[in-house]
Amino acid sequence: MSKDAYIHQVLPDAPGSPLLFVFHGTGADENQLLSFGRELLPSATIISPRGDVSEHGAARFFRRTGEGVYDMDDLARATAKMAGFVKAHVEAEKPSAVFGLGYSNGANILASVVFAEPDLFEVAALMHPLIPFEPEVQGSLAGRHILITAGRRDPICPPNLTARLEAYLRADGADVTVEWHDGGHEVRPNEIEAARRLFALAPAGEGDKNNG
């Protein structure tokens, strides 16, 4: 586990404050969601890694062979590496809670870490995730709060796969909220408000950890 496994940015807050990890979309970098994270959770330390895979110059968190066709071996590699990165920062910061926010490819790596390490994030906001496989959750998601946001006309993330992901997460015990809009892959104001509500209402401390 290394705090420096990824190039990353940190917006610090007080010691022991919540940690919010933010994960960018394809072609962006560690700066994409920093200010957004601060806006959503002003009292948190924000940590934003840059994807370590280049797709024709566009940064991603894991490889794919086509739109919606994932290199599952590389996804496994990336998931283990990211989980170690998150754990290293959690160990160093000893936060009151650990939150995650990802958009598009960033939502996919966050979801994959949630599947692999269900106790790591108390709260996760997955904005326009695409999970084209049946996840194997390594434990229970009971007590975890997960928001999925999606567009009904999203050409990248078909609504049926969003509904299937919701069903998987619920079956594993997660408290799931889904926020839709009628557009495509873009983030709209109602999604932002749903994320704000999620982080504002989520337990920020020890009581929630006992449910994991």
Side-chain angles (χ1 to χ4, degrees):
M1 296 190 302
S2 170
K3 288 172 60 182
D4 297 316
Y6 291 87
I7 296 169
H8 64 283
Q9 290 271 27
V10 178
L11 286 182
D13 203 85
S17 61
L19 277 183
L20 172 60
F21 291 85
V22 295
F23 305 96
H24 65 78
T26 297
D29 62 20
E30 66 276 18
N31 298 301
Q32 183 186 38
L33 298 176
L34 267 180
S35 60
F36 184 42
R38 173 64 83 216
E39 176 190 342
L40 291 175
L41 204 58
S43 63
T45 291
I46 316 296
I47 299 176
S48 179
R50 182 196 302 175
D52 61 349
V53 168
S54 175
E55 182 181 88
H56 308 296
R60 285 176 53 83
F61 290 102
F62 58 89
R63 300 186 188 283
R64 60 182 174 179
T65 57
E67 191 69 63
V69 183
Y70 296 165
D71 180 332
M72 297 304 289
D73 289 339
D74 195 60
L75 177 57
R77 171 207 64 82
T79 300
K81 181 179 177 180
M82 186 61 75
F85 174 80
V86 171
K87 288 177 182 178
H89 281 275
V90 170
E91 186 175 301
E93 298 288 339
K94 301 196 169 31
S96 59
V98 182
F99 299 160
L101 168 73
Y103 166 65
S104 195
N105 182 241
N108 298 337
I109 189 63
L110 174 56
S112 191
V113 172
V114 167
F115 303 149
E117 302 276 357
D119 293 335
L120 201 48
F121 292 96
E122 280 98 326
V123 178
L126 308 174
M127 295 183 135
H128 298 264
L130 173 61
I131 304 298
F133 57 90
E134 182 172 352
E136 295 183 12
V137 178
Q138 303 302 309
S140 171
L141 288 169
R144 310 296 99 178
H145 302 271
I146 298 177
L147 168 69
I148 302 171
T149 72
R152 297 188 190 280
R153 296 178 176 83
D154 192 330
I156 296 173
C157 305
N160 65 304
L161 293 188
T162 299
R164 190 176 72 168
L165 175 60
E166 176 190 5
Y168 288 149
L169 294 170
R170 288 192 190 282
D172 281 293
D175 178 0
V176 184
T177 301
V178 181
E179 182 74 22
W180 292 94
H181 64 63
D182 288 329
H185 202 57
E186 75 280 0
V187 174
R188 291 194 175 182
N190 65 307
E191 297 176 72
I192 296 171
E193 288 307 311
R196 198 188 311 278
R197 288 194 301 270
L198 176 79
F199 291 134
L201 296 176
E206 299 302 318
D208 194 50
K209 293 188 180 197
N210 294 334
N211 294 326

